[in-house]
Amino acid sequence: MIRLEKRPQPSRGWSYVTPVLAVLVTMVAGGALFAVLGKDPVLAIRTIFYDPLFGEFAWYFRGQLLVKAGPLILIAIGLSLGFRAGIWNIGAEGQYIIGAICGAAVGLALYPMEARWLVFPLMILAGVLGGLGWAMIPAILKTRFNTNEILVSLLLVYVAEQILASMALGLLRNPEGSGFPGSRNLSQYEAAANHELIAGTGMHWGVVAAFIAVIFAYVLLNRHMLGFQIRLTGQSPRAARFAGVRPNRLVLFCLGTAGALAGLAGMFEVSGPSGQITIDFNSGYGFTAIIVAFLGRLHPVGILLAGLLLALTYIGGEAAQSNLGLPAAAIQAFQGMLLFFLLAVDMLTNYRIRIGKSEVA
Amino acid sequence: MHRRARGARVSAPLLKVEGLRKAYPGVVANDDVSFQIMPGEVHALLGENGAGKSTLVKMIYGLVRPDAGRMTLNGASYRPATPHAARASGVAMVFQHFSLFEALDVAENVALGMENPPPQRRLARRIREVSETYGLPLDPTRLVGELSAGERQRVEIVRCLLQDPKLLIMDEPTSVLTPQEVEILFETLRRLQAEGTSILYISHKLEEIRALCDEATILRLGQVVGVCDPKSTSAREMAELMVGSALHTPSRAARPPGEAVLEIGGLSMKSSNPFGTALRDVSLEVRAGEVVGIGGVAGNGQDELLAALSGEARSGAQTVRLNGQPVGNLGPNVRRRLGLLAAPEERLGHAAAPDMTLTENALLTGAVREGLVARGFLKWAAARGFAERIIADFDVRTPGPGNAARALSGGNLQKFVIGREILQRPICLVVNQPTWGVDASAAAAIRQALLDLAEGGAAVLVISQDLDELMEISDRFAALNEGRLSDPRPAQGLSVEEIGLMMGGAHDMEVAHVQG
């Protein structure tokens, strides 16, 4: 008989092994799924995981990797702080949209001013404040009226999408765009553009910000009192209150940071890879970042790796769609499997499997 | 009163345990344990934490399977594979920690523990019958959340009695009861005994065992180290058998009381917990060098009082004063800086974070006074050093400060929690249930440490449900009842009846009567 036995303390080794194991199991299960769809599973897995990095067109895909991973990491780092403290911000997508709108709005308002030293920093600031402000709505409602931040932040995503559509069609529409929806292209406005910093690498300011966020979060969580309080609150809210943590301040900090980083990601996206505010500007980074945060075990370095991995499945998934004709839904299912298996094998960190006679201790 | 004469026992043993052994990886919990229980006998199982009492009763109750040895029940071989099988054979157990749902009523809770519960109305009638027969006042329609610890225990006992057990195992049943409730419980147990039910009684309170039990088996390090008749053996002898060395009883020199350090005045506060008790007009003064004990049945405002003093719950500034300075509206860390420290009852999840290391848990309250933080950044080396000091000074048995708090035994973690506060040299220390579920030698060490702290001039406030403990270490005693605090009285010379009245809330009349 197989049974689970709780470990006296979480296994360190397993907490590192489980994400790798989850990826491997996902490859197997995903391969099976692709086989059922009538595709060669080995080829499909190879197209998703190998070709973007080492295949014929790797020169193009490698750059895309950082472009996709940057916002994912930036948003996931912010989310992970809250998740560590048991504060569930599900609305990063909305904060990302509002950050992008605010950043773009400042850039467009200053058009065609040429002072990049002024325009670009102001846009960054606007992006941060936009995301922060949007995240403050669930934060303040929670601290004042004890509302559920999961619901409020999630519903605000749909509000943000409506605002995005209205902006793309109205206030921010390109006056020289012959009436088409969508703003002026910021990546063609020198003072506001978020260019690739090193040609061919995909490295832009958003990626730099993501790396800085990783380091910042690492130091915060491991060396700073605030990080300690975040971890303590997540593990043991009563002990945290006993230790003098003020839960409301923590809610404001965690939601605020997550919102600011999501807003930042949105701003870098709209001024760089995307270039303009359009109706469908958002592409789900805010939601995918939740997977990234958990896949990375809410650990900054883990999130960095998970962000790269998920970006790879995005790029490889697109390649698999165009080259092998795999349906988009199959790719999404594949990404979902990753989170599913991660959560499933996660139990090995806290439990060990015993095979033998049953005994309740 | 219903006690059977010892000579009258001629029948065969009800339960016979022979050569029972159970080993876990790295530790032998029970080794060659043999003893027997006669029908209608109250048999005590004595031993420190870790002596193997729990493993032994778990084997008898079918929760753990022995590696070797055999048990016979009523002459037949007895090998329960599950608690279900044990109950079917007539063995029932009341655990130390209750497994009740607060939001359900008594009858619903009882039904949840039964294999085939009868309809609620009939069950309620049965509960009433059983509770009347055995003198266990209990209303089946009340919500468990509203019951005191003593009443909750009755629910557990009634749940067992409904199955007509031949052997009833009771794990530390009196730790949550008032003296009066203990008397009611003993009365019940004696009635059961008179009907021929055997009772296996686990406790570390030696006086109780002497009052109740016919025979005692003493365990140490998994082995039987002695069998005695508790009525003819002194409590001290039994304790020494249990601990394996001469017992160190706390001692202190009498000294004059100092200045008032902690002053609580007119403190009224709602509980943050919907099932909690509001504090009502609590006033108390604790002087330097003094230990004030606060007794009372669990759930009468103890947690709320601790929260009000630790700073987790805030009140009017003037309701709590430390050395004359109002602190009632300040948070925990500001109070810590001023020297008012606290150790709550719940070790895991309140006083300490279970999954965090001892170093991190040392940081939990030590950050301010021990200077473990510099401009917001943690000094890990210093925190580790502080944790190591606690471990060394308070004899906490653990491989090192890198271990998670939940890996420690209850007694060791409690020593860590109390040590953490004492080493910070408090001006005033408030502790709730400092020795709950802690073995005798650890409890003695903790009490001595509290006395030493008072000796050094600190004001110490001990909230506890263990009256023996309070009588042993307190200079003055007061009791909490439904959120009201009685007037404190010198602990010396208080009779059990007086204490019971204070705990029952009749103190006002009593005092008025005496003074009037």
Side-chain angles (χ1 to χ4, degrees), chain A residues 102-127 186 189-193 267 271:
Chain A
C102 292
V106 167
L108 295 169
L110 296 176
Y111 181 85
M113 186 191 277
E114 278 174 22
R116 182 172 169 80
W117 59 269
L118 181 66
V119 176
F120 199 56
L122 276 181
M123 287 169 66
I124 293 178
L125 187 67
L186 287 163
Y189 165 30
E190 202 42 49
M267 179 270 155
S271 57

Side-chain angles (χ1 to χ4, degrees), chain B residues 198-214:
Chain B
S198 304
I199 294 159
L200 183 58
Y201 189 91
I202 302 166
S203 176
H204 59 248
K205 293 191 187 167
L206 301 164
E207 287 305 330
E208 275 174 13
I209 286 175
R210 299 193 60 201
L212 185 73
C213 300
D214 304 313

